[in-house]
């Protein structure tokens, strides 16, 4: 059966969501015939499910409600209220009156009926009758459904979704296609009565079986009559929503009672659970409070024990036990106290929320009692900690002073070790003045060190006194050691003064000798440096490149030799000081060490170096004279090379200019120019011997390490490059003239035309270098009548430049200019002309045979064509025929040969 979806007309308020005010329902349905039949079946079954409570039922919904009696009875059953007494007559107005009483009752329930009148019901209008019954179902079976703040249709849909959510293959989203497979109905039944249906055996692909199972179980066990037809639901694309809602609402009302009982049981369980939890919290509080108070009672006496220990280790152990108490034992108790307060507050809150009386702990176990006990514990704990720290600081001070006394005493004893023996030595009796002065400085440093240690001795005595005042247990040992240090200190002071007097007496005896040593050192050092510099200069290597440079070195050497007499006088004076030292030592019997303390130079060193300087002077003279001779020889080689280079260089330049003039000269024929150039070439070849001789002179200069020549600007490299350019220029010029002759003979150009070309080229060759720039070449072409000004002229000029300057050098040579002009003025053969000639030989055929070629052409040209022509590929040709067309194109570069 195909179901047409009904639509409400003139609906003022959505019937599925009635508000607080009266709802307006439109009961005039636009229904198809099949829908009317389906709704009639569902609505009839729904009405009978209520009418049978009054001992009656209907058979035909559009007929049995016409007199209004069963309609009024249905309303009384479903509302539980009494309606006005019906009229007993059978006349039409009696029926209308009864139907109006039923409709008035519906309106009294907040439903405003539109387009529904008693006359339509009495006349048996099936659409109006079904609309009225649907209104009754909405008002009395669906409107009062409420689930989680939703009501009516939405509430019923939410209830179905909540109940069927845990079931597989069930997803209730509406009241039509979500119910087609029957699993949703079976899930509702199984959710409330799992004993009636084995849901695990149901299959989604058996909708008929699932629906019939649900209908049968609901009718048999739940007193819900069968209102739907399984076949209609399965075969309908979208089952009627009102029929499904009507049937599903019966399940809601059927299970409502069971849910109320379940709600009541849950409420009782919830109340009992709250009470049990509260009692458990009370017991836990009493237990935790007792244990915490007992722990505080045991801990306080331990913290009040203030018996001090004698040693630092014992007091530190007490402190460690206290820290262990703080780290290990107390934190869990802090947590227990916190948890106790939390439990007490939580318990009181739960009792207040559940309307129970407040919890009153046992005597002495109130939260305030525990807080007071804890406060007393912390006060005792604080006092114990302060006492521990005070005692530890006291013992620490004693141990620190004792350790400090030992440390300073050890340092002092270590410093004084060996000092008595040192001060008693007589090492100054055999020492020199420098050694005596060193001993004096050392003794002064010792006296400073001794004075600095005075503070340490006083500190040691002060520490010993403080230890005695604090009743240190080993004060006897401290006092004995302190007395020994003080006695030793007095002895060191006496010995120090005695040694100072001895050192000062001996020092004066050496001052005179020391002054002479110092004077010798002051004069010997600069004289020795002068001799070192002289020896270095006399042995210094030199590199010179001219006579002037070597002459400068000779002058400097002569100046040095002039200073030698004065140097000898300084040597004699310095040696005289040493002789005076020896004389004083012999007179007063002083033992000299033989070493001057102010210098490492000895008199023998001065004598040896002076002898070396006198030996090096003549050797230096000889080296300088030899270098003079070598530089004079180099100067001769320079002049010899310059004389030839100054002749050859200008000669090469002159020949280059002459050849350039010959190449651009328009006088005479090309043959005459060629003869002149050949004569120039022979003269250049004959001049080669001069170049070779210059190369020889250059080789001699290089062997003598001559790298510059102030007598000429020409180097051998310049001459070589010029010579090579000259040879290249003459050869290139001869080749150009030869090419001009070949061009003239091949193209049939007269000598006058060539002269005109040369004249034009020379005129526009502004730089006179035998080449034209692109701008000069453009001007030349324009003067000859070429149109190169317009846009097409630019393209034409670019094409011409690719012909005359194929290598993109940026210049146009005379030969390229001649080639271009000959192509422009002379007649030339073309590929088409050659093809036409071959066609004549082939008797107008598109191919030619080997025999025809050998018959018409000389043997050498015939063999050339046969070896390069490709085979003819067209039709109708004999074997061995050749393609002369492609051959002709290849000759002129139009294809590959």
């Amino acid at each position: 059966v195909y179901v047409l979806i009904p639509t409400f007309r003139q609906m003022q308020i959505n019937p599925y969501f009635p508000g607080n005010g009266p709802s307006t329902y439109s009961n005039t349905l636009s229904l198809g015939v099949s829908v009317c039949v389906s709704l009639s079946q569902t609505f009839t079954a729904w009405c009978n499910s209520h009418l049978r409570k009054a001992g009656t039922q209907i058979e035909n919904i559009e007929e049995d409600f016409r007199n209004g009696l069963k309609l009024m009875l249905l309303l009384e059953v479903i509302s539980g209220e009494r309606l006005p007494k019906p009229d007993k007559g059978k006349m039409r107005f009696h029926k209308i009156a009864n139907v109006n009483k039923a409709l008035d009752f519906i309106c009294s329930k907040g439903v405003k009926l539109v387009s529904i009148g008693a006359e339509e019901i009495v006349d048996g209008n099936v659409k109006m009758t079904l609309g009225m019954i649907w209104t009754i179902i909405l008002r009395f079976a669906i409107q009062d459904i409420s689930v989680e703040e939703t009501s009516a249709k939405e509430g019923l849909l939410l209830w179905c979704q909540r109940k069927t959510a845990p079931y597989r293959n069930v997803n209730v989203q509406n009241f039509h296609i979500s119910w087609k497979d029957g699993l949703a109905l079976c899930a509702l039944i199984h959710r409330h009565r799992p004993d009636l249906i084995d849901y695990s055996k149901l299959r989604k692909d058996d909708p008929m079986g699932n629906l019939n199972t649900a209908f049968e179980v609901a009718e048999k066990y739940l007193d819900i009559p069968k209102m739907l037809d399984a076949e209609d639901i399965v075969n309908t694309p979208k089952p009627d929503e009102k029929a499904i809602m009507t049937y599903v609402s019966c399940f809601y009302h059927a299970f409502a009672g069971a849910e109320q009982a379940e709600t009541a049981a849950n409420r009782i369980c919830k109340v009992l659970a709250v009470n049990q939890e509260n009692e458990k919290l009370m017991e836990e509080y009493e237990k935790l409070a007792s244990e915490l108070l007992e722990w505080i009672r045991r801990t306080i006496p331990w913290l009040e024990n203030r018996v001090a220990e004698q040693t630092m280790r014992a007091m530190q152990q007490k402190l460690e036990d206290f820290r262990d108490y703080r780290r290990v034992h107390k934190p869990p108790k802090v947590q227990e106290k916190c948890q106790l307060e939390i439990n007490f507050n939580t318990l009181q809150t739960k009792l207040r929320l559940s309307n129970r009386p407040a919890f009153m702990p046992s005597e002495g176990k109130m939260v305030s009692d525990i807080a007071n006990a804890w406060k007393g514990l912390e006060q005792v704990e604080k006092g114990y900690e302060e006492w521990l720290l005070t005692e530890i600081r006291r013992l620490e001070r004693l141990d620190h002073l004792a350790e400090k006394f030992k440390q300073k005493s050890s340092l002092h004893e270590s410093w004084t070790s060996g000092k008595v023996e040192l001060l008693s030595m007589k090492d100054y009796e055999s020492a020199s003045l420098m050694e005596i002065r060193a001993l004096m400085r050392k003794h002064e440093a010792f006296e400073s060190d001794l004075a600095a240690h005075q503070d340490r001795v006083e500190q040691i005595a002060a520490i010993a006194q403080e230890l005695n005042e604090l009743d240190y247990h080993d004060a006897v040992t401290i006092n004995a050691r302190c007395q020994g240090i003080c006695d030793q200190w007095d002895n060191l002071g006496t010995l120090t003064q005695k040694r100072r007097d001895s050192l000062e007496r001996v020092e004066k005896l050496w001052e005179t000798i020391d002054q002479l040593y110092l004077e010798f050192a002051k004069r010997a050092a600069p004289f020795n440096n002068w001799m070192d510099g002289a020896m270095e200069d006399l042995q210094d290597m030199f590199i010179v490149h001219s006579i002037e440079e070597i002459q400068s070195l000779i002058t400097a050497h002569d100046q040095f030799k002039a200073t030698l007499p004065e140097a000898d006088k300084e040597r004699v004076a310095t040696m005289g000081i040493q002789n005076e030292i020896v004389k004083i030592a012999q007179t007063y019997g002083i033992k000299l060490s033989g070493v001057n303390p102010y210098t490492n130079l000895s008199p023998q060193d001065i004598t040896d170096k002076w002898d070396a300087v006198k030996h090096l002077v003549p050797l230096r003279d000889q080296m300088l004279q030899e270098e003079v001779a070598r530089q004079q020889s180099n100067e001769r080689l320079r002049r010899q090379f310059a004389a030839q280079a100054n002749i050859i260089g200008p000669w090469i330049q002159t020949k280059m200019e002459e050849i350039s003039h010959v190449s651009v000269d328009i006088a005479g024929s090309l043959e005459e120019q060629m003869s002149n150039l050949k004569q120039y070439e022979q003269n250049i070849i004959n001049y080669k011997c001069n170049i070779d001789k210059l190369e020889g002179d250059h080789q001699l200069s290089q062997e003598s390490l001559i790298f510059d020549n102030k007598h000429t600007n020409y180097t051998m490299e310049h001459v070589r490059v010029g010579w090579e350019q000259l040879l290249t220029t003459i050869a290139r010029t001869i080749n150009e003239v030869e090419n001009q002759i070949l061009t003239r003979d091949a193209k049939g150009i007269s000598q006058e035309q060539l002269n005109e070309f040369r004249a034009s080229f020379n005129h526009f060759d502004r730089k006179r270098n035998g080449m034209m720039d692109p701008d000069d070449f453009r001007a030349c072409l324009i003067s000859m009548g070429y149109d190169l000004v317009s846009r097409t002229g630019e393209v034409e000029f670019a094409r011409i430049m690719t012909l005359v300057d194929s290598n993109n050098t940026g210049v146009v040579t005379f030969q390229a200019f001649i080639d271009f002009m000959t192509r422009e003025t002379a007649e030339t053969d073309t590929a088409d002309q050659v093809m036409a000639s071959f066609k004549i030989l082939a008797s107008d055929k598109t191919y030619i045979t080997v025999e025809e070629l050998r018959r018409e052409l000389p043997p050498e040209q015939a063999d050339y064509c046969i070896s390069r022509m490709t085979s003819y590929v067209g039709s109708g040709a004999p074997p061995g025929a050749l393609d002369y067309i492609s051959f002709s194109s290849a000759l002129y570069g139009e294809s590959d040969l």
Side-chain angles (χ1 to χ4, degrees), residues 634-643 645-646 701 706-715:
N634 290 347
E635 183 66 15
R636 287 193 297 273
L637 290 175
R638 288 191 185 94
R639 292 181 181 277
Q640 182 177 340
F641 177 86
N646 290 334
S701 298
I706 300 173
F707 302 107
D708 59 344
N709 194 334
K710 66 180 180 180
H711 304 295
T712 182
N713 292 327
Y714 294 99
T715 65

Side-chain angles (χ1 to χ4, degrees), residues 459-494:
Q459 291 174 5
I460 291 172
I463 293 171
Q465 182 179 356
E466 187 174 358
L467 287 172
N468 279 275
E469 292 173 355
L470 294 175
D471 294 331
Y472 184 62
H473 65 279
D474 197 13
V476 176
T477 304
I478 295 295
N479 293 333
R481 192 172 183 180
C482 181
Q483 187 60 44
I485 290 173
C486 292
D487 293 343
Q488 186 187 39
W489 184 255
D490 294 338
N491 186 34
L492 285 176
T494 301

Side-chain angles (χ1 to χ4, degrees), residues 189-199 217 221-222 255:
I189 297 172
H190 184 269
R191 179 64 181 270
H192 297 88
R193 292 289 303 275
D195 57 310
L196 299 180
I197 293 179
D198 187 357
Y199 188 83
V217 170
Y221 298 102
L222 304 178
F255 294 133

Side-chain angles (χ1 to χ4, degrees), residues 206-373:
D206 185 18
M208 292 289 293
N210 298 336
L211 288 169
N212 286 326
T213 298
F215 295 159
E216 293 170 0
V217 170
E219 187 172 22
K220 184 175 180 181
Y221 298 102
L222 304 178
D223 198 24
I224 298 176
K226 182 179 179 182
M227 301 181 185
L228 303 172
D229 185 76
E231 186 175 356
D232 289 347
I233 295 175
V234 173
N235 295 330
T236 302
K238 184 178 181 182
D240 186 72
E241 186 177 47
K242 298 174 179 57
I244 299 294
M245 285 179 62
T246 302
Y247 188 60
V248 172
S249 67
C250 295
F251 283 89
Y252 175 82
H253 293 291
F255 294 133
E259 290 184 355
Q260 291 176 357
E262 181 181 356
T263 303
N266 290 338
R267 181 179 291 109
I268 293 173
C269 292
K270 182 177 181 181
V271 172
L272 294 177
V274 170
N275 197 64
Q276 289 173 341
E277 184 179 0
N278 292 340
E279 291 178 356
K280 183 178 179 182
L281 289 174
M282 293 176 187
E283 293 174 358
E284 289 180 355
Y285 178 85
E286 291 285 341
K287 181 181 178 182
L288 286 175
S290 300
E291 292 176 353
L292 185 58
L293 289 171
E294 176 62 22
W295 179 80
I296 293 172
R297 186 188 63 78
R298 292 196 312 269
T299 304
I300 288 177
W302 175 69
L303 294 173
E304 290 177 341
N305 181 12
R306 307 293 169 85
V307 179
E309 300 291 342
Q310 296 298 321
T311 63
M312 186 67 177
R313 177 175 296 180
M315 288 304 297
Q316 286 179 341
Q317 183 60 45
K318 277 184 173 290
L319 180 60
E320 186 62 31
D321 294 341
F322 179 72
R323 288 174 178 170
D324 187 62
Y325 153 78
R326 279 275 184 87
R327 291 192 303 263
V328 179
H329 300 289
K330 186 179 179 182
K333 298 305 176 182
V334 174
Q335 185 66 29
E336 289 179 9
K337 176 178 175 294
C338 181
Q339 188 62 44
L340 191 68
E341 294 174 356
I342 292 173
N343 291 351
F344 181 80
N345 294 332
T346 303
L347 176 59
Q348 298 293 42
T349 301
K350 288 185 176 181
L351 290 173
R352 183 174 64 256
L353 293 177
S354 59
N355 295 321
R356 305 292 201 284
F359 169 62
M360 182 62 65
S362 302
E363 182 69 24
K365 297 181 181 179
M366 293 289 292
V367 173
S368 58
D369 297 332
I370 295 173
N372 291 332

Side-chain angles (χ1 to χ4, degrees), residues 838 842 844-854 862 865-887:
F838 272 115
D844 291 333
K845 298 191 298 293
T846 57
Y847 60 87
I848 191 168
T849 64
V850 174
E851 291 76 11
E852 289 172 340
L853 288 171
R854 294 191 183 281
C865 292
I866 293 170
S867 64
R868 283 168 172 73
M869 281 187 182
T870 59
S871 300
Y872 183 74
V873 296
S875 59
L882 300 176
D883 185 1
Y884 64 81
I885 296 176
S886 62
F887 175 76

